[in-house]
Amino acid sequence: MKTFAFILLLSVCFLSLPAEALNRRHPLKVIKGTISQFESADNFYLTILDKKGKPHTALCNADLCEKLMMATGNNLGGYKGKKVRVIVGTGNQIDGSGRVMGTMDAFVKIQLIK
């Protein structure tokens, strides 16, 4: 009876998780740093330098990425060097024909810090 109750409790907990959490391959993490580089190819990649100067490059899937795509010049439309807080999740890396090649880290939310 205790085993059944335990299994039932685990099932209820599992089913109450949001779908996004169930699909996540690793937990979200937060990085604070500055915008360093933005590259576009088949996908859009953003590089953030953390406070130790270590680069973190990931797919750029946040709202700010649209503004970076439209930016011109070496300073990325004024965003280069801006302090940010990014949430890192996972995203699909897509080839030129639209096929998913795999998953990798993705900046899913970018918050500018003053």
Side-chain angles (χ1 to χ4, degrees):
M1 186 65 173
K2 287 183 182 181
T3 304
F4 175 74
F6 180 71
I7 292 171
L8 181 62
L9 177 64
L10 283 178
S11 299
V12 168
C13 291
F14 180 78
L15 292 174
S16 66
L17 289 173
E20 180 183 328
L22 296 175
N23 293 332
R24 198 174 296 137
R25 291 180 184 221
H26 55 78
L28 296 177
K29 64 181 177 180
V30 175
I31 300 172
K32 290 183 181 178
T34 58
I35 294 176
S36 170
Q37 189 174 355
F38 184 75
E39 299 175 68
S40 63
D42 290 341
N43 299 271
F44 297 100
Y45 302 94
L46 182 65
T47 300
I48 304 294
L49 295 178
D50 67 18
K51 50 187 161 180
K52 293 182 180 180
K54 179 180 175 186
H56 300 269
T57 301
L59 291 169
C60 198
N61 290 349
D63 293 341
L64 181 63
C65 300
E66 288 183 37
K67 292 179 182 176
L68 290 169
M69 284 184 258
M70 304 306 277
T72 57
N74 290 336
N75 72 349
L76 299 174
Y79 288 103
K80 187 171 184 173
K82 293 283 185 182
K83 292 182 181 182
V84 291
R85 178 181 177 270
V86 297
I87 297 178
V88 183
T90 54
N92 290 329
Q93 193 175 24
I94 300 174
D95 67 14
S97 64
R99 288 186 308 233
V100 175
M101 298 185 312
T103 59
M104 66 176 288
D105 284 347
F107 297 135
V108 295
K109 186 172 182 181
I110 303 171
Q111 178 185 16
L112 293 172
I113 300 173
K114 296 181 180 182

